[in-house]
């Protein structure tokens, strides 16, 4: 069979089969549109499945395909906007929400989500501002209470949160947060850097080093990772140098190394506490008590329970002759560590020094040094006895009598070799019977001039009856 068509060239005969084949090769327009809609819905469904398993990037690709296949598929815009908000891609999300509302105006649930998006965007900006101004707690509130509520997948917010926790020295929480980030992306350089810093500030330097090294293997030129890694390496090197110099007895070099290590990162408290203590111990060995007290105090400000810092500060206070301060520190240290015999021995020394400090200093009364010879002691006694002779101090007789007693008592101890030795050892000599009797007292007997003092009431152990020198005062030489 054939079909007949008339044309300018005359009658054309076309086989019916050929005509059918030609017509059937062009599908109807309506059928094509329906196919595209089916494709869009299929993509939308697949995207929903990806969202359920948190494959957000895959979901975004499918949603883009769905919108391209059917630009009027409002649900695709809604889901697209929601995923973008979740990831805090705020500007793109806002455009999709608005496109949805163009297609379906007045949809309250979508309007609410758009409002939440704008709140999250504003809160993230505020969090950054507070971070820059140093108000870390306020910034953290914005992140936790707004941004991550409305945009829980926001990586920028999560990274900022870790920085805030670091600034607040909540290292354990910061480690947990970076763990969540690295679980999703184990090669996230910023998370590796921040997690390494957390371990660094916890003084777990081995783990910190491993994080820095992993990041540098991924990006050898990453400036912050390089700075962190080599900074830690130099800190450990300087510390080892200080410890080696202590072991070699090069204490002054050790002091400089400890100070250099402390200057590298003053905020590294967990590690610096040991540097402060190490410096304190070296300064005690060098006899630099005042400097040692400061270093041990710096250590105790970081860790008030550090017993060794307390005991070393007590030793430093012994050097500066702060006897009461030394006893106080060493008592606390002994209570915290009752089995430490070194602390107990130091406490006994401090208590003895405190007791000695409260007795009369006979050397000071005679105005001589502790190494004075017997001749120097006699000369000092003669000079002061003449100076404070009561008959020469009529206008201040009571003071003169008191001074004269002190001078005589000082000579009674220091002029006797046995008593002086016991006094220098810290023993009590006041109870040995220091009276010189009622007879004559010859303090400069033997060799050269003789100086004899006569008192009716006895001197000085017997005291002065009536508080003065009732029988007069005879001074012969």
């Amino acid at each position: 069979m054939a079909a007949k068509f008339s044309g300018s060239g005359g009658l054309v005969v076309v086989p019916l089969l050929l005509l059918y084949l030609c017509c059937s090769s062009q599908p109807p327009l309506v059928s094509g549109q329906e196919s595209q809609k089916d494709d869009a819905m299929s993509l939308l469904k697949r995207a929903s499945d990806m969202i359920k398993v948190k494959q957000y990037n895959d979901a975004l690709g499918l949603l883009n395909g769905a919108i391209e296949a059917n630009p009027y598929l409002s649900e695709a815009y809604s889901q697209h906007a929601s995923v973008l908000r979740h990831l805090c891609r705020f500007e793109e999300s806002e455009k999709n929400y608005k496109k949805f509302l163009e297609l379906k105006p007045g949809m309250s649930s979508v309007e609410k989500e758009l409002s939440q998006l704008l709140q999250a965007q504003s809160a993230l900006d505020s969090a950054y501002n507070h971070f820059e101004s140093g108000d870390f707690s306020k910034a953290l509130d914005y992140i936790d209470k707004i941004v991550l509520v409305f945009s829980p997948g926001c990586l920028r917010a999560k990274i900022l949160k870790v920085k805030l926790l670091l600034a607040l020295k909540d290292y354990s929480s910061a480690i947990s947060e970076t763990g969540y980030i690295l679980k999703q992306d184990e090669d996230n350089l910023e998370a590796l850097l921040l997690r390494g810093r957390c371990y660094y500030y916890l003084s777990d330097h081995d783990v910190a080093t491993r994080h820095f090294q992993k990041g540098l293997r991924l990006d050898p030129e990453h400036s912050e990772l390089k700075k962190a890694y080599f900074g830690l390496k130099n800190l450990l090197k300087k510390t080892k140098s200080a410890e080696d110099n202590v072991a070699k007895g090069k204490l002054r070099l050790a002091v400089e190394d400890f100070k250099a290590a402390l200057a590298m990162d003053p905020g590294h408290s967990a590690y610096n506490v040991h540097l402060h203590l190490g410096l304190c111990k070296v300064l005690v060995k060098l006899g630099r008590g005042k400097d040692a007290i400061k270093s041990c105090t710096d250590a105790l400000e970081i860790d008030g329970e550090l017993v060794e810092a307390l005991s070393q500060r007590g030793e430093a206070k012994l050097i500066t002759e702060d006897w009461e301060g030394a006893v106080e520190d060493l008592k606390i240290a002994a209570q915290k560590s009752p089995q430490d015999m070194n602390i107990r021995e130091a406490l006994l020394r401090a208590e003895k020094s405190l007791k000695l400090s409260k007795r009369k200093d006979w050397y000071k009364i005679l105005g001589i040094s502790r190494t004075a010879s017997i001749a120097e002691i006699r000369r000092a006694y003669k000079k002061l006895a003449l100076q404070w002779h009561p008959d020469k101090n009529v206008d201040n007789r009571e003071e003169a009598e008191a001074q004269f007693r002190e001078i005589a008592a000082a000579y009674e101890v220091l002029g006797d070799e046995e008593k002086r030795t016991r006094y220098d050892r810290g023993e009590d000599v006041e109870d040995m019977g220091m009276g010189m009797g009622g007879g004559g007292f010859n303090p400069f007997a033997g060799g050269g001039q003789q100086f004899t003092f006569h008192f009716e009431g006895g001197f000085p152990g017997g005291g002065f009856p009536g508080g003065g020198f009732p029988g007069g005062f005879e001074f012969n030489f």
Side-chain angles (χ1 to χ4, degrees):
M1 296 180 61
K4 297 181 181 179
F5 295 91
S6 59
S8 57
L11 186 65
V12 178
V13 179
V14 180
L16 286 177
L17 179 60
L18 181 59
L19 179 63
Y20 171 77
L21 291 174
C22 291
C23 293
S24 64
S25 66
Q26 297 296 327
L29 180 60
V30 174
S31 176
Q33 290 175 341
E34 289 177 354
S35 176
Q36 287 182 323
K37 288 180 180 179
D38 290 340
D39 290 342
M41 290 303 296
S42 175
L43 292 169
L44 181 62
K45 184 180 182 305
R46 289 171 58 195
S48 298
D49 293 337
M50 290 294 104
I51 293 171
K52 289 177 183 177
V53 295
K54 299 182 179 180
Q55 300 294 324
Y56 299 114
N57 289 329
D58 291 339
L60 288 175
L62 293 168
L63 289 167
N64 283 329
I67 291 171
E68 184 177 345
N70 184 2
Y72 302 98
L73 185 58
S74 59
E75 184 62 25
Y77 288 105
S78 174
Q79 287 198 24
H80 201 218
S82 180
V83 172
L84 290 168
R85 173 173 62 84
H86 181 88
L87 300 174
C88 69
R89 290 166 60 174
F90 297 123
E91 292 182 1
E92 298 171 76
S93 178
E94 184 178 0
K95 290 178 182 177
N96 279 269
Y97 276 128
K98 289 181 175 179
K99 182 63 177 178
F100 176 91
L101 291 171
E102 287 178 12
L103 297 171
K104 288 189 176 182
M107 181 71 73
S108 60
S109 60
V110 174
E111 289 175 344
K112 181 180 178 181
E113 289 186 20
L114 177 57
S115 174
Q116 293 173 345
L117 177 151
L118 297 174
Q119 290 179 61
Q121 185 176 30
S122 176
L124 184 57
D125 290 339
S126 296
Y128 276 114
N129 291 334
H130 285 295
F131 175 63
E132 294 296 332
S133 66
D135 192 349
F136 306 126
S137 296
K138 187 68 173 178
L140 192 58
D141 281 343
Y142 276 107
I143 294 295
D144 278 336
K145 296 179 180 179
I146 302 177
V147 181
L148 292 178
V149 171
F150 298 143
S151 301
C154 183
L155 181 60
R156 283 185 294 153
K158 291 178 180 179
I159 292 293
L160 178 57
K161 180 176 181 177
V162 175
K163 291 179 178 179
L164 290 166
L165 291 169
L166 266 170
L168 292 167
K169 299 183 180 181
D170 187 353
Y171 304 122
S172 296
S173 296
I175 287 171
S176 296
E177 293 296 326
T178 51
Y180 300 141
I181 296 170
L182 290 168
K183 188 175 181 180
Q184 294 179 341
D185 178 9
E186 64 178 4
D187 294 336
N188 187 297
L189 294 178
E190 198 159 11
L192 286 169
L193 171 64
L194 293 173
R195 191 175 174 86
R197 283 178 176 167
C198 291
Y199 283 109
Y200 166 80
Y201 283 117
L202 287 172
S203 204
D204 193 342
H205 293 153
D206 289 340
V207 178
T209 298
R210 289 201 293 270
H211 280 77
F212 298 149
Q213 287 175 332
K214 180 177 180 179
L216 288 171
R217 284 195 294 271
L218 295 168
D219 182 1
E221 299 304 318
H222 193 287
S223 60
E224 289 299 311
L225 282 166
K226 286 172 68 176
K227 181 179 177 181
Y229 174 71
F230 288 108
L232 173 53
K233 190 174 180 180
N234 290 334
L235 175 63
L236 297 177
K237 181 179 179 181
K238 185 59 69 175
T239 302
K240 188 176 186 307
S241 176
E243 292 169 347
D244 288 346
N245 280 322
V246 171
K248 294 174 184 176
K250 299 178 180 180
L251 302 183
R252 288 178 175 79
L253 289 177
V255 168
E256 296 307 312
D257 284 338
F258 275 123
K259 287 182 176 179
L262 283 164
M264 288 182 177
D265 188 353
H268 193 356
S269 301
Y271 188 70
N272 288 350
V273 63
H274 303 295
L275 295 177
H276 284 303
L277 177 58
L279 177 58
C280 175
K281 291 165 70 174
V282 174
L283 291 169
V284 167
K285 290 180 180 179
L286 288 170
R288 292 168 56 179
K290 185 177 179 181
D291 293 334
I293 289 171
K294 181 182 182 306
S295 291
C296 272
T297 299
D298 288 338
L300 288 166
E301 286 177 356
I302 298 171
D303 182 359
E305 298 299 313
L306 194 59
V307 174
E308 193 172 8
L310 269 172
S311 65
Q312 286 295 313
R313 189 171 71 174
E315 294 279 9
K317 288 179 178 179
L318 285 173
I319 296 172
T320 62
E321 299 186 357
D322 177 7
W323 315 123
E324 291 184 355
V327 169
E328 181 182 0
D329 280 350
L330 290 165
K331 271 187 176 179
I332 297 172
Q335 289 169 1
K336 292 178 180 294
S337 184
Q339 305 303 319
D340 193 319
M341 298 309 297
N342 290 327
I343 295 176
R344 293 177 67 84
E345 185 274 331
L347 176 58
L348 290 173
R349 284 190 285 113
E351 289 175 333
K352 181 178 180 180
S353 297
L354 176 60
K355 181 180 178 181
L356 294 177
S357 72
K358 293 181 178 179
R359 69 178 183 171
K360 292 185 182 296
D361 187 341
W362 301 129
Y363 289 100
K364 185 176 181 180
I365 289 169
L366 293 183
I368 56 177
S369 72
R370 291 184 174 271
T371 58
S373 66
I374 188 65
E376 290 172 323
I377 292 171
R378 287 174 176 169
R379 283 196 296 271
Y381 177 59
K382 171 187 173 183
K383 177 182 176 181
L384 291 171
L386 289 170
Q387 178 183 343
W388 289 101
H389 188 298
D391 289 344
K392 293 184 178 182
N393 293 273
V394 178
D395 294 336
N396 61 336
R397 190 176 184 85
E398 288 188 9
E399 180 185 359
E401 290 173 359
Q403 289 289 344
F404 203 85
R405 286 191 185 94
E406 294 277 84
I407 294 163
Y411 184 72
E412 174 77 0
V413 174
L414 300 183
D416 183 293
E417 184 176 348
E418 181 183 352
K419 292 181 180 178
R420 181 184 182 185
T421 300
R422 292 184 59 190
Y423 174 79
D424 288 344
R425 286 202 302 260
E427 299 178 17
D428 291 329
V429 294
E430 285 82 355
D431 297 331
M432 293 181 61
M434 289 168 51
M436 290 177 281
F441 172 51
N442 186 356
F444 305 113
Q449 298 170 312
Q450 288 191 340
F451 302 87
T452 305
F453 298 84
H454 296 282
F455 305 95
E456 287 186 4
F459 171 74
F464 300 95
F469 297 83
F473 183 85
E474 182 180 352
F475 182 34
N476 300 318
F477 61 93

